[in-house]
Amino acid sequence: MISTAGTHKYQWVIKPQHEGGGSLAHALKISSVLGQVLMNREITSADQANRFLRPKLTDLIRPDQTPGVKDAVDRIKDALDQGQKITVYGDYDVDGITGVSILMSLLKLVGGQVDYYIPHRLDEGYGLNAEAIESLAAGGTQLLITVDCGISGVDTARRAAELGMDVIITDHHQPGPELPEAVAIVHPLLDSDYPNPHAAGAMVAFKLAWAVADALSSGARLSDELRTFMMDATGLAAVGTVADVVDLRGENRILTHFGLKGLANSGLLGIQALIDVAGLEGQGVDSYDVGFKIGPMLNAAGRMGHARLAVELLTCRSQMRARQIAEYLKDQNTQRQQCGRKIFKEACQMVAARGFNHPDRRSIVLAGESWHRGVLGIVASRLVDKYYRPTIVVNLLDDDSGLVQGSARSIPGFALLDGIRHCSEYLVTFGGHAMAAGLTLKSSQVEAFTEAFEAYAAENLVQEDISAKLEIDAMVPLSVFTLDSLKQLALLGPFGQGNPHPVFATEGVHLIAPPRTVGAKGDHLQLTISDHTGAVRCIGFGMGKLAKKLQEVETFNIAYEAQINHYNGNSSPQLCLTDIQFPESPKTSSRSSIVEVGTPLKSSQEAPTLLK
């Protein structure tokens, strides 16, 4: 069978049929297909499953357990008591924006003299910078609190101390060999026993805000005002957590579950304005909406202009102003999308021209002279999706210093930051983690860096590593997807990194009506299929080109996410296609394979019986 739905050919990796799935399903009174998915996520007992499917807000890790939080709270209380000026300094992405909004709002609520600072993405770049530190010191800042940055700012933190400022660092990025000079460092990785090493920057800021609120409360419970704010703050922290693509299991899942549920009724005017302009009013907000609608609008502020505007929106107390900013960010996001599409097209042409799409190639490094630096990371992500190689995209339009900036994205199994560090002799600055990074280098070093990075990738990646894999939770018959079973599967959400939306596959399906192409350009595909156990409608985004091919074959295999389609007051099962496999043509030797992991299903005919 050959897979032709995606840009690259997928290798289907099918999870094994778990013997305990049926017992788990029986104990919880859930469908067998949900039992299988839980087992795939290494949730093997009824107690584990109940905690996963029915998270409790009371299971959040208490803030006083967060490494460094006690020293930070003590210094903040001193600043509040003495009326010192506090500045919250955050990153310009959604994680930083939401974290800054949480801490600044909480400190204002308790009477603090507080302001915030977000560096300009293009003019200043990521993290603490000396010029900003000096400006803030001159403006009277006595306590500087970082959000989602600072752990690598050894020199700038030292400069802050020289200027008489105390620094509290809250961050979640990988610490280096030397920690910065600070009165407190609030960081989940500073204690190897901390239960949530994957906390986002907004989560760390949320924990510090919670700890401050606790410390300033006279009784065991927060005051009504503080309690109301902290509940709204879970929504902000959830947005930052989802947008930063951290692992959505454990505590991150609990916070995101409740935070997203509360967004629709949030008391924050900026959140309500974003929901409204995104067309989500009255629908509820899930992780998809944050990742593809709300998050990109907030990110557009920093990518196309200045992220200060996004913080103003999230802390705004004027409904009219909130609506005005939200509409503006929506327009900025549209411009960002148009800019990204243009650069992506140019980048693909460059890949082909330079032979970077050759099967022996292990990495992609591209540089363009007119590429907007604010969308480089997005373009790099799209190139990874298309070519499945670690990718770095650089803007060659340097400043007077001769320096250029780039953004990098990786594939699973390739530690991106390690690769960049290996080539650091060609770089001026760099930072990030295993899957995403940023770097600065001289324009004259781009080609040398490209060769060095490819050499490192060639040593650390084999052909199997750069073959895109599609993990499939189970081979199932279409009849398993009833409205009831789909409602049960929805309990697995919120979906994201570490807890992906389950993907299923069905073999030997056939059309029961001609397919239709839909969308303004006919890019998408609608079809109705059957496998002799049931029939269901499908939507295949970006698969419109396959309409003719589908009518030329008797049967084909599909991989998909199963969902409920709500239309005109009616609800029905729908499959959102991820991949399609067709019978292999005699003229092609390329082959998309199905790999069964662990104890395989005995046959495609037996799979439906096992999961009924």
Side-chain angles (χ1 to χ4, degrees):
M1 305 288 283
I2 181 168
S3 164
T4 58
T7 309
H8 40 239
K9 298 177 179 64
Y10 283 112
Q11 182 184 69
W12 289 13
V13 181
I14 303 173
K15 302 289 179 67
Q17 176 70 36
H18 297 286
E19 293 182 3
S23 299
L24 185 63
H26 179 75
L28 295 170
K29 295 182 172 57
I30 58 175
S31 66
S32 295
V33 70
L34 177 54
Q36 166 77 1
V37 175
L38 289 170
M39 297 289 287
N40 289 345
R41 281 151 172 72
E42 298 181 350
I43 299 169
T44 58
S45 71
D47 183 55
Q48 284 179 305
N50 271 317
R51 289 201 304 270
F52 189 87
L53 297 176
R54 300 172 180 85
K56 296 179 181 178
L57 199 56
T58 53
D59 286 339
L60 286 176
I61 303 165
R62 292 293 303 179
D64 55 7
Q65 296 182 45
T66 308
V69 80
K70 183 183 182 302
D71 290 340
V73 170
D74 289 344
R75 182 61 184 89
I76 289 171
K77 286 177 65 179
D78 287 343
L80 294 173
D81 291 340
Q82 298 172 33
Q84 293 180 342
K85 183 176 181 181
I86 304 170
T87 298
V88 183
Y89 186 117
D91 189 22
Y92 40 65
D93 68 0
V94 178
D95 194 20
I97 289 165
T98 52
V100 166
S101 300
I102 290 168
L103 267 180
M104 193 186 73
S105 297
L106 184 280
L107 293 173
K108 279 190 173 181
L109 196 59
V110 297
Q113 183 187 349
V114 60
D115 199 356
Y116 69 98
Y117 187 90
I118 304 283
H120 193 283
R121 178 189 289 265
L122 304 186
D123 295 340
E124 299 175 80
Y126 171 78
L128 294 170
N129 68 84
E131 187 175 342
I133 293 293
E134 291 167 0
S135 174
L136 292 172
T141 295
Q142 293 167 283
L143 176 60
L144 185 72
I145 306 175
T146 75
V147 172
D148 194 33
C149 64
I151 196 64
S152 60
V154 175
D155 293 337
T156 45
R158 186 179 297 118
R159 179 59 177 153
E162 292 171 355
L163 295 170
M165 277 192 297
D166 282 345
V167 178
I168 294 173
I169 289 172
T170 78
D171 203 350
H172 71 124
H173 294 98
Q174 186 70 40
E178 182 182 0
L179 294 178
E181 184 178 329
V183 296
I185 300 178
V186 185
H187 197 301
L189 295 180
L190 295 186
D191 181 353
S192 59
D193 294 327
Y194 186 66
N196 183 15
H198 304 296
M203 170 73 94
V204 179
F206 172 82
K207 287 298 182 68
L208 179 55
W210 183 3
V212 171
D214 274 351
L216 297 178
S217 297
S218 55
R221 289 173 59 86
L222 300 180
S223 67
D224 289 343
E225 186 177 31
L226 284 176
R227 181 177 175 79
T228 297
F229 170 74
M230 289 308 300
M231 291 304 296
D232 284 339
T234 64
L236 292 176
V239 170
T241 296
V242 171
D244 214 50
V245 201
V246 297
D247 195 306
L248 286 188
R249 290 175 290 184
E251 184 185 40
N252 292 340
R253 171 178 172 76
I254 297 170
L255 179 85
T256 304
H257 172 85
F258 286 98
L260 294 182
K261 282 180 64 176
L263 284 180
N265 299 310
S266 174
L268 303 175
L269 297 178
I271 288 292
Q272 289 300 324
L274 283 170
I275 289 173
D276 190 32
V277 300
L280 298 172
E281 190 173 9
Q283 299 180 30
V285 178
D286 60 18
S287 55
Y288 176 87
D289 297 324
V290 170
F292 292 92
K293 297 177 183 179
I294 292 175
M297 285 192 288
L298 290 172
N299 250 335
R303 292 188 184 279
M304 307 304 291
H306 203 299
R308 283 188 62 92
L309 200 58
V311 177
E312 182 185 347
L313 170 65
L314 296 180
T315 57
C316 188
R317 295 192 175 187
S318 163
Q319 190 170 21
M320 182 179 297
R321 177 60 176 160
R323 177 73 188 204
Q324 181 184 31
I325 297 174
E327 291 282 7
Y328 176 76
L329 293 186
K330 182 180 180 181
D331 291 341
Q332 289 285 93
N333 190 46
T334 299
Q335 292 181 34
R336 188 271 305 167
Q337 291 170 330
Q338 293 170 346
C339 180
R341 283 194 291 267
K342 177 178 180 292
I343 295 174
F344 177 70
K345 182 178 179 180
E346 293 174 3
C348 291
Q349 293 170 346
M350 192 177 295
V351 167
R354 299 196 64 178
F356 287 174
N357 55 348
H358 190 279
D360 292 338
R361 186 79 187 183
R362 294 294 181 263
S363 71
I364 295 173
V365 181
L366 301 174
E369 293 187 357
S370 58
W371 291 354
H372 194 297
R373 283 182 286 168
V375 300
L376 294 182
I378 295 171
V379 173
S381 293
R382 292 192 64 189
L383 290 169
V384 170
D385 289 342
K386 182 176 177 67
Y387 299 106
Y388 209 69
R389 305 285 194 280
T391 299
I392 300 174
V393 182
V394 178
N395 170 42
L396 274 182
L397 189 61
D398 60 22
D399 56 25
D400 293 339
S401 66
L403 301 179
V404 297
Q405 294 180 349
S407 289
R409 298 295 184 268
S410 193
I411 59 174
F414 183 80
L416 183 61
L417 189 58
D418 290 346
I420 291 174
R421 184 179 288 113
H422 183 80
C423 308
S424 60
E425 64 183 288
Y426 304 104
L427 304 176
V428 177
T429 61
F430 63 92
H433 49 77
M435 295 300 292
L439 49 86
T440 304
L441 69 164
K442 292 183 178 179
S443 56
S444 59
Q445 297 285 0
V446 171
E447 283 302 318
F449 172 79
T450 300
E451 293 177 8
F453 188 74
E454 169 62 16
Y456 179 87
E459 289 180 2
N460 290 274
L461 289 170
V462 297
Q463 186 64 41
E464 179 71 11
D465 297 326
I466 57 173
S467 299
K469 297 172 181 61
L470 182 61
E471 294 195 355
I472 294 173
D473 282 276
M475 277 283 192
V476 295
L478 298 179
S479 58
V480 305
F481 297 115
T482 63
L483 287 177
D484 185 56
S485 68
L486 290 174
K487 289 176 182 176
Q488 290 183 17
L489 285 170
L491 295 174
L492 294 165
F495 300 107
Q497 185 72 21
N499 183 42
H501 202 297
V503 176
F504 303 100
T506 303
E507 292 183 298
V509 303
H510 62 271
L511 295 172
I512 59 175
R516 295 176 56 225
T517 55
V518 295
K521 299 180 181 180
D523 292 342
H524 313 310
L525 186 68
Q526 281 186 348
L527 59 154
T528 304
I529 60 168
S530 173
D531 68 344
H532 304 298
T533 72
V536 66
R537 294 184 64 181
C538 306
I539 179 73
F541 293 106
M543 297 184 181
K545 60 185 179 182
L546 299 179
K548 182 179 179 182
K549 177 76 171 178
L550 284 165
Q551 297 179 81
E552 296 174 350
V553 298
E554 291 186 10
T555 63
F556 48 95
N557 301 340
I558 56 171
Y560 51 85
E561 296 176 4
Q563 56 191 214
I564 298 177
N565 180 40
H566 302 283
Y567 183 71
N568 280 345
N570 297 317
S571 299
S572 59
Q574 175 179 272
L575 308 183
C576 184
L577 299 177
T578 304
D579 196 21
I580 299 177
Q581 287 187 339
F582 291 100
E584 187 175 5
S585 166
K587 295 181 180 180
T588 179
S589 59
S590 178
R591 184 175 179 86
S592 173
S593 58
I594 299 178
V595 178
E596 297 179 340
V597 179
T599 304
L601 298 171
K602 293 180 180 177
S603 70
S604 59
Q605 289 75 31
E606 187 175 358
T609 304
L610 291 170
L611 287 175
K612 279 185 179 176

